[in-house]
Amino acid sequence: MAEDTDQKNPFTRPGFILAAVVVALVVVLGAVVGVVNATRSYPESQSSPSPSESSAAPTADESAAAGGASVCGLSGEVLSGSISTAPAAKWEYQGTVAYPTSSEAGPADTKNGVRTCFQHSPEGALFAAANAVVQCSDESTVKAWLDYFVTGSARDQVLSAGAGSSTGSGTRVEIAGFRVLAYDGDSARIDVAVRGSASGKTLNLSMVYPLVWEDGDWKLNVTDASAPIDVATIPDLAGYITWGA
């Protein structure tokens, strides 16, 4: 029975998670809610690190240890801390989904239609994760997005799984909030709250992105191809910092 449930659970298929989790979930809203509630539990509490600031500029050795300088020369490197308030952002649209941009945090470059180059800071990691939510839900960018952003021991497996499909008319999704679960300059865990609606129903999702600073940019660190990101339904946005267009 457990095996059958896993096979039906869309969260166990890498292609679904990375390419169609946002759009397809709201298309099959009723069925997914039941499956997720039966197979996943959401942690009762995940506290973010206390915000901290550092006035000292990182040394060259520290920058090298944390994955090198920004691939496109973005300044403002921060190797510790968190985010306590919603950062300022200019919200643009990819299709009907809004994504955040910032001259400081990124994205500061585009490669093969994919927005890249995010600041080496908690804000940069957040903007990278939020842009990932949008870029991985668009069939026109997901392949290039996977190739650029996915790293880690399971990279080849994820790329081999492919992007899947992300069709579904009458659906709407939006980034609604975030939590910085961990940040140390080398890596980050960013929890993005996403709200989806279809056929008069609404679903709130927690999407936790494990990121690493690699080759001068934030990348998605995938060590388990069956769960590239941690996705779970949440009842509301309690505990999240509200953020969105």
Side-chain angles (χ1 to χ4, degrees):
M1 180 64 69
E3 181 179 356
D4 182 64
T5 300
D6 288 342
Q7 290 175 349
K8 294 180 180 179
N9 185 356
F11 293 136
T12 64
R13 300 202 299 274
F16 186 98
I17 297 171
L18 289 171
V21 64
V22 178
V23 178
L25 271 178
V26 294
V27 172
V28 293
L29 193 60
V32 170
V33 170
V35 171
V36 172
N37 289 341
T39 60
R40 284 185 177 271
S41 60
Y42 187 74
E44 294 183 359
S45 64
Q46 288 177 297
S47 59
S48 300
S50 300
S52 63
E53 297 181 356
S54 174
S55 58
T59 66
D61 288 342
E62 289 173 330
S63 295
S70 167
V71 69
C72 70
L74 276 181
S75 60
E77 184 178 56
V78 179
L79 300 182
S80 64
S82 187
I83 306 174
S84 58
T85 59
K90 179 181 179 181
W91 293 83
E92 306 283 356
Y93 282 85
Q94 183 167 343
T96 61
V97 188
Y99 61 88
T101 68
S102 164
S103 58
E104 292 81 21
D109 199 3
T110 302
K111 296 182 183 299
N112 298 320
V114 176
R115 295 182 294 278
T116 66
C117 191
F118 295 88
Q119 187 181 54
H120 193 184
S121 67
E123 288 79 9
L126 170 61
F127 276 71
N131 274 263
V133 170
V134 181
Q135 295 189 115
C136 77
S137 67
D138 188 332
E139 290 181 1
S140 68
T141 59
V142 65
K143 184 176 180 181
W145 179 85
L146 290 171
D147 185 61
Y148 181 84
F149 275 105
V150 173
T151 189
S153 58
R155 169 182 163 84
D156 290 344
Q157 290 173 273
V158 171
L159 296 184
S160 295
S165 61
S166 56
T167 58
S169 60
T171 64
R172 290 293 182 270
V173 295
E174 61 180 346
I175 294 171
F178 71 90
R179 299 188 301 171
V180 178
L181 302 181
Y183 181 86
D184 64 7
D186 292 312
S187 62
R189 291 181 65 242
I190 307 296
D191 185 356
V192 182
V194 176
R195 180 181 294 116
S197 61
S199 303
K201 298 179 180 179
T202 299
L203 176 68
N204 294 314
L205 291 175
S206 159
M207 302 173 67
V208 179
Y209 287 79
L211 305 178
V212 293
W213 183 255
E214 181 179 284
D215 298 330
D217 206 354
W218 289 108
K219 304 294 180 70
L220 180 65
N221 184 31
V222 181
T223 57
D224 181 358
S226 68
I229 60 176
D230 185 8
V231 183
T233 57
I234 51 178
D236 52 46
L237 300 183
Y240 287 83
I241 296 173
T242 302
W243 195 45

